[in-house]
Amino acid sequence: MRRFAISGYGPAEKVFQEIVDTPREVTPNHLRVELKAFSINPYDVALRSGKMKEVRTLTFPYVLGNDGAGIVTEVASDVDSFAVGDRVVVHPVSGAYGEEIVLPASKVAKIPDEMSWVEAAAMVTTGITAYNVINHLLTIQPTDTVMVTGASGGVGTSLIQLLHQKGIRTLASASKTNKELVRSLGVTHFSSYDQENPEEVFSNQADIVIDATKGSIAGDMAIKIMKEEGHYVALNELPSLASRQKKNGFYETFVPRKEYSDQEALTHLIAAYKTGNYHIFVAEELAATLDHLIWAHHQLEGHPSAGKIVLTYD
Ligand SMILES: NC(=O)c1ccc[n+]([C@@H]2O[C@H](COP(=O)([O-])OP(=O)(O)OC[C@H]3O[C@@H](n4cnc5c(N)ncnc54)[C@H](OP(=O)(O)O)[C@@H]3O)[C@@H](O)[C@H]2O)c1
């Protein structure tokens, strides 16, 4: 079984290697899935670079990857909700960069025939994160206004769509290049951070702000948009204490919790997709080769186009 592993922390071109791994046994509650596609997240880039080694130490060789889609090829005898041949989406803790994965059935959901492997692999972490922020972390009142920075990103586009489904008034910012994409998702008001100043356009208007930019680069802007005593959620680190002290509010970072059910989130996203109420954005669909994987990591280190990069097997 071919997989892509990192040999240590460092630049993508230095540490990625293709390995032939021994297939794992399927233990109770687990499934084996032949992967047809996997996608790349900013988190993978942070892990590989060593930026997160103080909070998550890896043992090498290590296979990254949380998002994939494929066909069930083996089912533990105590699992009755899946069968060999099922088309599924998977959300493992790691290990999706490869041809095959063995993972708990609770981290798997069936996908409909009309959803492609690429779409399925592209919706996993971003969709689940957005679902949990909207439905579990926050309690949103129907009269609330919610601001999303990074609205054109993987998490941002999911957040906007889930808020729109609930009929919540949304404010959003992203680059002007992605204005039409974000507006098409049902956002109430949009402001481009590279054309005007969203903090002036939306000053003190949001009950809740969700900073979904990479590295929380829009934190100071989001604080200015939040109302006094509002609720600030960062997908990454919070803005500096000095910035937070400029406005009273409840500041927190979103962290996935064990009690959040992947199947609940994926079932919701898939149902919305089937009714045309959830769109999945793919920027690049490439063959699963070492060169493409390294290229994808380089893209995510910069400022990539909107949409996920997905690598596929025939
Ligand atoms: N805590 C968690 O559990 C969790 C889970 C998932 C993701 N995350 C984190 O959430 C962040 C977003 O993830 P993602 O997958 O959605 O990333 P992404 O697809 O790369 O989206 C990044 C967003 O940031 C915006 N952006 C880029 N440069 C900007 C700037 N200078 N000013 C303002 N906005 C800017 C982009 O907008 P334009 O391209 O339009 O400029 C885009 O909307 C990542 O850092 C990721 O690690 C955390």
Side-chain angles (χ1 to χ4, degrees):
M1 175 211 0
R2 288 189 310 147
R3 304 178 93 191
F4 298 101
I6 49 172
S7 56
Y9 301 114
E13 65 281 10
K14 289 231 170 84
V15 298
F16 268 121
Q17 54 186 219
E18 194 163 6
I19 59 168
V20 178
D21 215 350
T22 315
R24 259 187 62 188
E25 195 190 332
V26 171
T27 47
N29 300 316
H30 282 62
L31 305 175
R32 186 186 309 282
V33 175
E34 178 196 333
L35 291 167
K36 294 290 188 185
F38 63 87
S39 71
I40 322 293
N41 282 299
Y43 182 61
D44 308 346
V45 175
L47 283 178
R48 189 258 306 148
S49 68
K51 200 177 144 196
M52 298 190 63
K53 64 182 169 191
E54 306 303 327
V55 283
R56 189 161 165 206
T57 309
L58 308 180
T59 309
F60 303 107
Y62 187 86
V63 180
L64 296 162
N66 309 107
D67 298 7
I71 300 172
V72 175
T73 55
E74 192 179 342
V75 182
S77 57
D78 60 346
V79 174
D80 52 17
S81 46
F82 292 94
V84 169
D86 282 346
R87 300 178 80 244
V88 293
V89 62
V90 301
H91 186 219
V93 172
S94 63
Y97 285 14
E99 289 177 332
E100 182 184 291
I101 189 153
V102 173
L103 79 170
S106 61
K107 311 289 281 178
V108 181
K110 289 179 202 168
I111 56 170
D113 289 345
E114 63 264 37
M115 182 180 275
S116 69
W117 301 124
V118 169
E119 287 177 310
M123 76 166 175
V124 188
T125 294
T126 52
I128 291 173
T129 301
Y131 179 89
N132 287 329
V133 169
I134 301 297
N135 293 285
H136 293 302
L137 182 76
L138 293 168
T139 305
I140 305 174
Q141 304 302 327
T143 51
D144 281 345
T145 294
V146 180
M147 168 77 198
V148 177
T149 64
S152 59
V155 180
T157 50
S158 296
L159 286 167
I160 296 289
Q161 295 183 85
L162 295 176
L163 290 163
H164 183 59
Q165 287 168 21
K166 286 180 179 284
I168 301 297
R169 180 173 185 263
T170 47
L171 313 175
S173 71
S175 62
K176 62 176 183 293
T177 312
N178 292 321
K179 178 178 177 173
E180 290 316 315
L181 180 150
V182 177
R183 289 177 75 101
S184 73
L185 303 177
V187 74
T188 318
H189 296 288
F190 179 86
S191 175
S192 315
Y193 67 79
D194 51 355
Q195 205 170 28
E196 53 190 5
N197 293 319
E199 62 268 47
E200 289 170 15
V201 179
F202 299 142
S203 177
N204 293 304
Q205 285 191 30
D207 300 278
I208 297 167
V209 294
I210 308 171
D211 182 8
T213 57
K214 210 160 57 178
S216 297
I217 38 188
D220 287 348
M221 172 177 98
I223 290 176
K224 290 181 184 149
I225 293 167
M226 182 177 76
K227 289 179 183 171
E228 194 71 30
E229 301 296 348
H231 191 155
Y232 182 107
V233 177
L235 267 293
N236 283 289
E237 65 270 22
L238 288 166
S240 68
L241 187 60
S243 296
R244 281 179 272 152
Q245 283 172 337
K246 288 183 188 150
K247 191 175 282 176
N248 292 322
F250 180 59
Y251 292 85
E252 65 179 327
T253 301
F254 172 76
V255 180
R257 299 175 71 101
K258 280 209 175 80
E259 58 268 31
Y260 297 162
S261 158
D262 284 352
Q263 285 184 340
E264 175 193 316
L266 290 168
T267 301
H268 176 95
L269 297 168
I270 292 165
Y273 170 89
K274 282 174 79 170
T275 56
N277 291 312
Y278 185 72
H279 300 278
I280 300 161
F281 297 95
V282 175
E284 294 282 350
E285 177 185 335
L286 300 163
T289 65
L290 193 57
D291 283 350
H292 287 154
L293 182 56
I294 292 167
W295 177 86
H297 270 245
H298 286 161
Q299 290 297 303
L300 264 65
E301 281 166 345
H303 189 158
S305 307
K308 298 290 291 183
I309 300 177
V310 184
L311 302 197
T312 63
Y313 291 103
D314 291 336

